[in-house]
Amino acid sequence: MPRGRRLARQLWPALLTGSLLGFGALGLALVPALAGRAPLLLIALRPTWAILLLVGGSVPFVPALLVAAFFRALVDVGYFGLARNNIRSVLLRRLGGSRLVTALARPGTQTPLLWFCLVNTNAAVDAALGAGGVPMRRFLRFLMPGSLLSAAFYLTAARAVTPWMRGVVDWLDAHMTYLVLGGLALALAQAAARVGLRRWRGRRGAGVAEGAPAPVRRPRRNGDNTP
């Protein structure tokens, strides 16, 4: 396989997943602005169950179903590709560890996990199927109906709670400026805290390394001639 094609095959899952996670973070920051004015765009940016319940009752059912199912499936395909190409650093940061994926990625669990995709999609399940060598086409045959079913369930539930969610959307729209500024301030504070924590751990590790006692050298023995 040519080097450029091999590199593109390895990088597309990271680019896809990183882009979708970035759009999701943008959608979360713009929830107050988009919930009442562009709910379908909000679903496209962040097709999570919480967003579907929040604005699913205020958009046409079929367009919202297609948009939500498509972007939810893209997220699952991204995690599947990450595990298939062994991009462990990006994958494990999202999942929080490899023990669950390792436990699920066994030959005997592939069929139950594929059927589980019809009920609910999960990043750990996607990664386990990708690491287990399941073909992409077989994965998509279960993933696409599952994404449609789960999106339809959340949109139907959203229509049942529309009277209560309408008040939440109106409150978000009324306090949009303060919520957006508060979200940005919180994101900056979290970034600063992470940087500070890394520096503190680095200094602490360097201090421990400098204060560690030198290893004790034991006298070398020379077989049976040692008294």
Side-chain angles (χ1 to χ4, degrees):
M1 183 181 297
R3 183 178 180 182
R5 185 179 179 182
R6 184 172 63 252
L7 184 61
R9 186 175 180 179
Q10 293 176 351
L11 288 181
W12 74 260
L15 294 176
L16 176 62
T17 308
S19 300
L20 292 173
L21 292 179
F23 288 141
L26 178 63
L28 181 61
L30 297 179
V31 166
L34 299 178
R37 303 180 183 183
L40 196 60
L41 176 60
L42 179 59
I43 292 176
L45 292 175
R46 192 174 180 85
T48 60
W49 65 267
I51 297 299
L52 292 177
L53 290 178
L54 179 65
V55 301
S58 59
V59 292
F61 185 85
V62 174
L65 175 63
L66 296 178
V67 170
F70 176 75
F71 284 100
R72 286 172 67 88
L74 278 184
V75 175
D76 295 314
V77 169
Y79 285 121
F80 180 89
L82 285 176
R84 172 64 58 85
N85 292 278
N86 295 323
I87 307 178
R88 308 292 294 179
S89 59
V90 179
L91 178 65
L92 297 183
R93 285 183 182 180
R94 177 65 177 173
L95 300 180
S98 61
R99 293 182 179 179
L100 179 60
V101 177
T102 303
L104 294 176
R106 297 178 180 178
T109 62
Q110 292 180 1
T111 300
L113 290 180
L114 286 171
W115 285 103
F116 181 79
C117 291
L118 293 176
V119 181
N120 187 26
T121 55
N122 185 279
V125 173
D126 302 330
L129 291 172
V134 176
M136 175 69 78
R137 292 182 179 179
R138 188 183 182 194
F139 175 65
L140 291 177
R141 284 200 296 266
F142 287 86
L143 175 65
M144 294 308 300
S147 299
L148 288 170
L149 290 174
S150 62
F153 172 78
Y154 290 127
L155 290 173
T156 304
R159 277 155 172 72
V161 298
T162 297
W164 297 276
M165 290 302 175
R166 185 70 253 178
V168 175
V169 172
D170 292 339
W171 184 86
L172 290 173
D173 194 15
H175 299 80
M176 177 182 63
T177 303
Y178 300 103
L179 290 173
V180 171
L181 292 177
L184 291 176
L186 180 61
L188 292 175
Q190 289 180 347
R194 290 177 181 176
V195 173
L197 183 61
R198 289 178 182 177
R199 291 182 177 178
W200 178 76
R201 287 179 177 176
R203 293 176 182 176
R204 184 180 180 183
V208 171
E210 292 178 357
V216 178
R217 294 185 178 180
R218 296 181 179 181
R220 298 178 61 183
R221 297 193 175 192
N222 190 15
D224 297 333
N225 296 331
T226 303

